[in-house]
Amino acid sequence: MEKKKFILSGGGTGGHIYPAIAIANELKEQYPDCEILFVGAKDKMEMQKVPQAGYNIVGLWIAGIQRKLTVDNAMFPFKLMSSLMKSRTIIKGFKPDVVIGTGGFASGPLLRAAAGMGVPTVIQEQNSFPGITNKWLSKKAKTICVAYDNLERFFPAEKIVFTGNPVRSDILNVEKNREEAVKYFNLNPEKKTLLVLGGSLGSRRINQLIAKELTWLAAQNVQVIWQCGKFYFEEYKHYNENENVQVLSFIDRMDLVYAAADVVISRSGASSVSELCLVGKPVIFIPSPNVAEDHQTKNAQAIVDKEGALLLKETQLDTQFQPVFSDLIANEERQQKLGENIKKLAKANATKDIVKEIVKLIK
């Protein structure tokens, strides 16, 4: 039987990269001898993260349009033409059965070129409000896999399949790793552990909050694992001198860090929300206000409405953080209830369901 071939593209942030890697891993499960190639944007984090996951990646000369007038914006038409031409060359050489995009700059020219060459394309949209790239690609895509309701406003209704967001399989049933996690992060098992996640690039406002509250958190007998993001690590790494604090630019063992956590503070990007539903720990979401249509607040509110998490807006942090956190950390029953409720919203089979849709398109 002829080997199946797939090209995947998603990048710029972990929210696009990790869903693409999760889909690739599931394709490998179903077709162990299949060939998989990734296409990313040169100089973006996918060029490191995808090879670390064991896959080959080719980079395109592409970037997004800035909101203000810049030299990069003037270069955009040339970058787009260059990326479309290179995408066609990649597709001709690799001959994929299906091309899959999970968002990010590079997926635009790649999926556009694939559709123009008659190769079936699948879009996986993680958010409640799609980005420009996926809206642009939706007219030519065969299937659009989504994780939120009411996306008919943006995409052709007949192409939409509700699957949920793909997540790493290693975060299923994290509780069994609790003991290993405590050893791995050298934690005190007598103390509660707060996990702080600002997204793959980090969050300035969350970092400012944690830096300000570290002394107070120590007084609550709480130890902190703080993922500050690569852009902020130099600024905050000196807090590693504190006994109860671990500042990390990036966390490789998410399975263990979730197992170690008693409470999580997180942004509410789509991938983070999907992972945290599976993990089933009490969460305080602090949405980023700097995203299209305020979709992080909408993502978080969907969980809060089902009594599965707490939500603090950035404007509330100075006055509300201490009372909200101290009430939660002192109330084991409430922690358990929040964990149980968020877990009910998990889509554990999302990655398998997306791959089913991809398989349907193999000619």
Side-chain angles (χ1 to χ4, degrees):
M1 195 171 72
E2 210 173 308
K3 271 186 188 177
K4 304 299 177 211
K5 294 184 175 185
F6 305 97
I7 298 182
L8 292 104
S9 181
T13 69
H16 294 312
I17 297 164
Y18 295 116
I21 290 171
I23 292 168
N25 291 342
E26 184 59 33
L27 284 166
K28 273 283 185 196
E29 281 285 312
Q30 297 207 23
Y31 298 100
D33 64 342
C34 74
E35 288 184 39
I36 291 175
L37 177 68
F38 277 74
V39 174
K42 280 180 181 173
D43 305 323
K44 293 292 179 185
M45 68 184 283
E46 59 263 32
M47 301 308 290
Q48 283 81 47
K49 298 301 170 192
V50 168
Q52 283 171 12
Y55 296 103
N56 293 329
I57 186 166
V58 179
L60 301 179
W61 184 47
I62 189 72
I65 299 176
Q66 308 300 311
R67 291 187 183 178
K68 50 188 184 292
L69 207 59
T70 64
V71 174
D72 278 349
N73 277 359
M75 293 299 292
F76 181 76
F78 303 101
K79 289 182 176 183
L80 182 59
M81 289 309 297
S82 160
S83 294
L84 282 165
M85 287 166 62
K86 187 164 182 185
S87 293
R88 288 189 195 108
T89 304
I90 291 166
I91 291 161
K92 265 185 197 166
F94 192 75
K95 298 183 175 64
D97 291 285
V98 184
V99 175
I100 303 110
T102 60
F105 310 133
S107 64
L110 179 77
L111 269 75
R112 193 72 175 197
M117 295 166 76
V119 179
T121 62
V122 174
I123 295 170
Q124 196 275 315
E125 174 54 59
Q126 293 108 39
N127 286 297
S128 54
F129 189 88
I132 295 168
T133 304
N134 279 353
K135 283 194 265 187
W136 182 57
L137 294 170
S138 64
K139 294 173 185 67
K140 304 269 185 183
K142 292 285 186 189
T143 306
I144 303 166
C145 296
V146 303
Y148 288 88
D149 294 324
N150 305 316
L151 266 71
E152 297 83 3
R153 293 175 295 153
F154 310 106
F155 299 139
E158 70 279 5
K159 297 181 180 183
I160 294 174
V161 182
F162 187 90
T163 56
N165 280 325
V167 292
R168 307 174 252 233
S169 56
D170 62 354
I171 64 164
L172 298 167
N173 307 314
V174 293
E175 271 314 297
K176 67 183 191 306
N177 301 327
R178 178 86 176 190
E179 205 174 303
E180 184 189 348
V182 168
K183 283 182 189 159
Y184 185 87
F185 289 102
N186 197 24
L187 297 167
N188 180 345
E190 303 301 312
K191 291 184 176 181
K192 292 282 187 184
T193 300
L194 168 64
L195 169 63
V196 180
L197 301 172
S200 53
L201 303 177
S203 157
R204 176 172 293 284
R205 188 65 189 91
I206 290 178
N207 288 338
Q208 288 170 341
L209 170 75
I210 300 305
K212 174 173 162 269
E213 301 291 358
L214 278 178
T215 305
W216 180 81
L217 287 165
Q220 312 305 302
N221 206 29
V222 170
Q223 55 200 341
V224 182
I225 300 176
W226 174 10
Q227 183 252 320
C228 67
K230 65 174 185 176
F231 290 143
Y232 301 102
F233 184 66
E234 289 303 313
E235 189 178 343
Y236 291 103
K237 66 181 181 183
H238 67 277
Y239 287 109
N240 275 319
E241 293 162 16
N242 296 24
E243 188 189 345
N244 295 314
V245 184
Q246 295 180 49
V247 184
L248 305 162
S249 65
F250 191 82
I251 300 170
D252 287 318
R253 292 299 305 270
M254 290 306 294
D255 57 330
L256 293 184
V257 85
Y258 282 137
D262 293 293
V263 174
V264 182
I265 288 173
S266 176
R267 284 300 201 199
S268 46
S271 291
S272 299
V273 173
S274 298
E275 283 196 357
L276 289 162
C277 286
L278 277 175
V279 168
K281 296 290 176 87
V283 183
I284 300 172
F285 284 121
I286 303 174
S288 169
N290 311 310
V291 291
E293 296 291 304
D294 198 21
H295 70 247
Q296 285 208 7
T297 300
K298 290 168 187 165
N299 293 348
Q301 194 63 52
I303 308 298
V304 173
D305 289 346
K306 303 272 172 62
E307 298 181 0
L310 306 177
L311 190 161
L312 282 174
K313 295 192 173 182
E314 286 193 354
T315 52
Q316 299 173 303
L317 293 179
D318 289 332
T319 57
Q320 293 298 303
F321 175 75
Q322 287 192 12
V324 168
F325 186 83
S326 56
D327 177 57
L328 178 61
I329 206 74
N331 191 333
E332 297 255 349
E333 195 179 323
R334 192 167 191 220
Q335 290 169 37
Q336 190 177 343
K337 198 75 191 151
L338 285 171
E340 286 169 3
N341 287 348
I342 196 171
K343 196 146 192 159
K344 287 175 192 167
L345 305 174
K347 295 263 177 232
N349 294 320
T351 316
K352 283 183 165 59
D353 290 343
I354 291 163
V355 168
K356 274 182 200 165
E357 295 302 319
I358 294 167
V359 170
K360 285 178 190 174
L361 299 178
I362 295 174
K363 291 172 180 173

